[in-house]
């Protein structure tokens, strides 16, 4: 039968990115397409020990229904850890979610009426765009430069769109560009948000994965009136399989958020929450993150080195201080979907830039992931990619 | 600051049920308010063994990102098990969710534009009403009798509301009434759905918890054209802590559902999915469910016995063949919120009927849970409750 879907369901139902990832998953292909952490670095044995401890000490509570705002002990530990990002808060400022994707989804549901305007970086995290589209947002992209979102462009967008509800931003090691917003722009961003009365959704999945340069405090650290909602996750620092993220906001907001979270899935996997809390109490996650950073740094530096060696001159690329991604811009009017097809023939894959753009994409752009690939494959893959680009642009 | 919320956020933000559960959770109170499984029956040791096996054999895959439609092995096992409910299907008919609450939420998102009409049983699962309200549904309640939804009332509602998008039904051991729809009505329900071109959301969390009477096949078993979406969960048969449910529908629907699931939280906790698949492969869940059924049967029978002994004559109550709930109706114009306050003074709690009704509630109704309470406390609690009702109605 034909279903009479709501406007939330995308017309056509073509999942471009899904198709790209499917092709890229072929065993012969060296894929820089995903955004996956390195699985060989998962602290498997420590997580298993933490799990055993939960089963030994609190199985009946871990396996039972729980609070929609999350496991209290985990919220307490997270509140303390937020000091590392310059944010002072306590457990009442925190709600646990089934990963940052859910945080984005629920906050979008709480703010977007169909037709409402929101602002995003251009380009931005493609699966956030998917969410905003399901709620019928009018998505306005704001220009970036090498240091992230341009504050003059943000102010202009706010002037043009006084009706805007929020700005969604990934200010640190941005997905897809790897760019990081400097401190003065973070302060200015909060000022502008106050002046034009919007809220900011600060998505920070990569902030702790800095392998070069000096730490920059979260945008949330400059917030004085509850205007910034800070999102993070254990997906990149511990494991995405346990699907646990969190939101930091004013307690008044957390209360409403919890009502919406309850209607969405009652609460996040309680065993996962207790296991992560146990892991954080028994083991040193900062040591673990330091290990990840070191490996990612090597992979990133190697990828940059190989890009310099094999990509034709004139190709631009970011050289991030952390995170998972490098962003490539090929000069001229290049269709990267066609380039992708060419690369697949050479058994190498990336994500074309198009899906990261709200509205009109910039041609010739694509995203490379370095976290999920061995050094050997980075060498081989970038060489193949360079060859394909050279062929394609000649 | 004041947030400029969307229409999805409930006005006022008073969480009546949350307040009730909070009061009911006081240590002196015997609470029949929740809908929790008996935690002492969780197969803790078996789940721990299954978890160990996952960590030993497939930790890297379990801890990594996964498919939005769910872990394939789990979907295969579930497809086979659906035969027990009279439904023939394979893995492509199944999507895994973070519990049935999420299944309700995502399907609602896929069908309800603000102002769209949907049909529900009157009374029905209150947290489904919460979901429908966040999407701005016009909720029409359809009358029930002792055998569940009345088919004449359903047909009338469909005539009155040709615009209705779907019927949400809990046909087996319904929440809150415990009633079960007989086979002939199930067939008729599917016929009516076809005739008036709506889809049916069949929520079946309790179907396997039958402790008396003959099994009745799922409404989905009478579906020939993909009109019924069947939802179930491990929350009542295994554990709610691992938050895993599933949807059974036509592959064409599952494909769209997966896109919406992806934007909601990427995928369900992958460790939980693999642990449950391992549990189902290594242990006998049907033996485990048989144990639960036996305990719940004793508790239900004892509760009925005590109700007969202590409640004033004229009070009506259901005597279900399975599930978790008994529904009580006190004759006369009784405000059960006031009765609740009186009961709390006597240290006993239930959920007043009001939040289970879309629109105007029927007075004098409330829900009792028997699964989560020792026999001793059932005796004490129902005695206290009988005393409070007697005092209140005199």
């Amino acid at each position: 039968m034909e279903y009479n879907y709501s406007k939330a369901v995308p017309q056509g139902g073509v999942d471009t990115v899904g198709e790209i990832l499917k092709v890229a998953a072929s065993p012969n292909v060296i894929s820089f397409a995903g955004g996956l952490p390195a699985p060989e670095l998962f602290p498997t044995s420590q997580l298993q020990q933490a799990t055993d401890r939960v089963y030994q000490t609190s199985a009946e509570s871990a396996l039972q229904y729980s609070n929609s705002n999350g496991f209290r002990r985990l919220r307490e530990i997270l509140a303390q850890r937020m000091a590392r990002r310059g944010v002072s808060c306590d457990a009442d400022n925190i709600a646990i979610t089934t990963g940052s994707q859910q945080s984005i989804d629920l906050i979008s549901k709480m703010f977007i009426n169909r037709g409402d305007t929101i602002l995003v970086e251009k380009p931005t995290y493609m699966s956030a765009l998917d969410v905003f589209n399901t709620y019928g947002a009018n998505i306005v992209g704001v220009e970036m430069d090498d240091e992230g979102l341009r504050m003059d462009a943000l102010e202009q967008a706010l002037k043009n769109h006084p009706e805007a509800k929020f700005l969604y931003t990934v200010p640190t090691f941005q997905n897809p560009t790897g760019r990081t917003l400097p401190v003065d722009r973070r302060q200015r961003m909060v000022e502008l948000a106050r002046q034009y009365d919007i809220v900011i959704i600060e998505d920070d999945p990569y902030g702790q994965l800095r392998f070069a340069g000096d730490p920059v405090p979260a945008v949330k650290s400059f917030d004085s009136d509850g205007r910034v909602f800070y999102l993070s996750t254990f997906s990149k620092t511990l494991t995405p399989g346990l699907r646990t993220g969190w939101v930091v906001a004013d307690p008044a907001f957390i209360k409403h958020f919890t009502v919406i979270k309850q209607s969405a899935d009652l609460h996040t996997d309680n065993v996962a929450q207790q296991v992560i809390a146990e892991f954080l109490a028994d083991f040193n996650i900062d040591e673990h993150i330091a290990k990840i950073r070191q490996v990612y740094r090597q992979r990133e530096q190697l990828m940059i080195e190989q890009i310099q060696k094999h990509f034709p001159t004139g190709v631009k690329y970011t050289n991030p201080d952390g995170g998972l991604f490098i962003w490539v811009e090929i000069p001229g009017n290049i269709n990267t979907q066609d380039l992708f097809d060419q690369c697949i023939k050479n058994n190498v894959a990336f994500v074309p830039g198009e899906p990261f753009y709200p509205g009109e994409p910039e041609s010739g752009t694509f995203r490379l992931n370095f976290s999920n690939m061995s050094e050997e494959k980075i060498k081989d893959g970038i060489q193949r990619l360079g060859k394909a680009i050279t062929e394609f642009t000649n």
Side-chain angles (χ1 to χ4, degrees), chain A:
Chain A
M1 66 173 289
E2 289 285 311
Y3 302 110
N4 183 10
Y5 289 127
S6 74
K7 293 171 184 159
V9 177
Q11 296 290 318
V14 183
D15 179 6
T16 325
V17 176
E19 291 305 313
I20 287 167
L21 293 176
K22 207 185 285 174
V23 174
S26 153
N28 296 326
V29 171
I30 296 180
S31 174
F32 305 118
L36 280 62
E40 67 274 21
L41 299 180
F42 293 148
T44 304
S45 150
Q46 297 181 338
L47 281 168
Q48 188 172 6
Q49 288 173 59
T51 308
D52 279 343
R53 188 117 13 141
V54 167
Y55 271 98
Q56 280 155 24
T57 60
S58 62
E60 282 194 11
S61 110
L63 293 169
Q64 188 56 285
Y65 282 110
S66 184
N67 300 325
S68 299
N69 59 347
F71 182 51
R72 182 150 191 106
R73 201 166 127 227
L74 180 58
R75 292 189 291 119
E76 284 166 357
I77 299 172
L78 285 170
Q80 284 170 13
R81 289 187 60 81
M82 284 306 298
R84 283 169 172 73
R85 306 291 293 124
V87 178
S88 159
C89 68
D90 65 29
D92 292 337
N93 293 91
I94 292 181
I96 305 295
T97 63
T98 310
S100 276
Q101 186 72 27
Q102 186 181 53
S103 307
I104 298 168
D105 183 56
L106 297 182
I107 296 177
S108 296
K109 185 173 181 179
M110 291 175 69
F111 281 94
I112 304 172
N113 292 313
R114 299 198 81 77
D116 278 356
T117 297
I118 61 155
L119 308 179
V120 302
E121 287 147 357
K122 191 175 144 189
T124 189
Y125 173 47
M126 60 178 142
S127 298
L129 293 175
D130 289 343
V131 173
F132 305 145
N133 281 320
T134 68
Y135 292 104
N138 170 36
I139 308 173
V140 174
V142 183
E143 294 289 340
M144 305 175 82
D145 60 21
D146 291 347
E147 299 201 301
L149 201 65
R150 275 173 38 203
M151 288 305 116
D152 60 330
L154 176 60
E155 181 156 26
Q156 192 57 54
L158 288 165
K159 275 184 188 154
N160 295 347
H161 299 282
E163 76 285 7
K165 281 284 188 82
F166 62 73
L167 165 68
Y168 170 77
T169 177
V170 188
T172 311
F173 316 131
Q174 200 234 15
N175 183 355
T177 65
R179 292 168 185 149
T180 293
L181 201 70
V183 176
D184 57 333
R185 290 201 196 178
R186 291 173 187 239
Q187 285 173 309
R188 179 72 182 140
M189 182 186 274
V190 175
E191 272 170 33
L192 286 171
R194 196 176 302 126
Q195 190 179 336
Y196 291 91
D197 198 22
I198 58 160
V199 295
I200 296 171
I201 304 177
E202 177 183 22
D203 191 4
D204 187 35
Y206 318 112
Q208 293 178 80
L209 298 180
R210 173 178 289 280
F211 45 66
D214 294 323
V216 182
V219 173
K220 176 72 182 162
S221 71
F222 302 104
D223 179 26
S224 57
D225 61 349
R227 196 169 289 283
V228 181
F229 308 136
Y230 173 94
L231 323 181
S232 196
T233 170
F234 287 104
S235 292
K236 309 302 186 292
T237 53
L238 192 56
T239 162
L242 293 175
R243 304 232 46 64
T244 304
W246 67 96
V247 177
V248 183
D250 267 18
F253 174 80
I254 293 294
K255 216 173 145 187
H256 282 99
F257 182 87
T258 301
V259 170
I260 294 295
K261 163 76 178 165
Q262 184 176 319
S263 90
D265 65 3
L266 297 184
H267 62 82
T268 290
D269 187 311
N270 199 26
V271 175
Q273 292 185 71
Q274 295 208 15
V275 166
I276 290 177
E278 190 68 41
F279 176 93
L280 293 171
D282 297 350
F283 301 102
N284 188 336
I285 193 177
D286 295 312
E287 261 175 28
H288 171 66
I289 294 172
K291 208 192 312 176
I292 298 175
R293 279 199 296 249
Q294 200 187 354
V295 173
Y296 288 7
R297 171 176 208 157
Q298 283 165 9
R299 292 180 181 179
E300 195 266 352
Q301 287 184 338
L302 179 65
M303 190 174 271
I304 292 290
E305 212 180 280
Q306 295 299 310
I307 286 174
Q308 287 167 343
K309 200 162 161 186
H310 297 292
F311 280 20
T313 49
V315 174
K316 273 189 68 181
Y317 48 88
T318 56
N319 186 357
D321 288 341
L324 309 183
F325 303 114
I326 290 171
W327 184 244
V328 180
E329 295 170 87
I330 305 176
N333 192 15
I334 302 291
N335 181 325
T336 47
Q337 184 63 52
D338 294 345
L339 175 62
F340 177 83
D341 297 339
Q342 170 85 3
C343 283
I344 286 296
K345 286 183 202 150
N346 288 276
N347 284 325
V348 64
F350 52 77
V351 182
E354 283 79 358
F356 298 101
Y357 286 90
E360 194 57 40
E362 251 165 82
S363 72
T365 58
F366 62 86
R367 189 190 76 178
L368 294 175
N369 167 265
F370 53 81
S371 59
N372 190 242
M373 202 48 72
S374 69
E375 301 201 0
E376 195 189 354
K377 286 193 170 170
I378 289 175
K379 279 187 198 161
D380 275 9
I382 296 296
Q383 187 170 357
R384 290 183 202 174
L385 194 50
K387 186 163 162 274
I389 297 171
T390 307
E391 284 168 16
F392 193 81
T393 51
N394 277 345

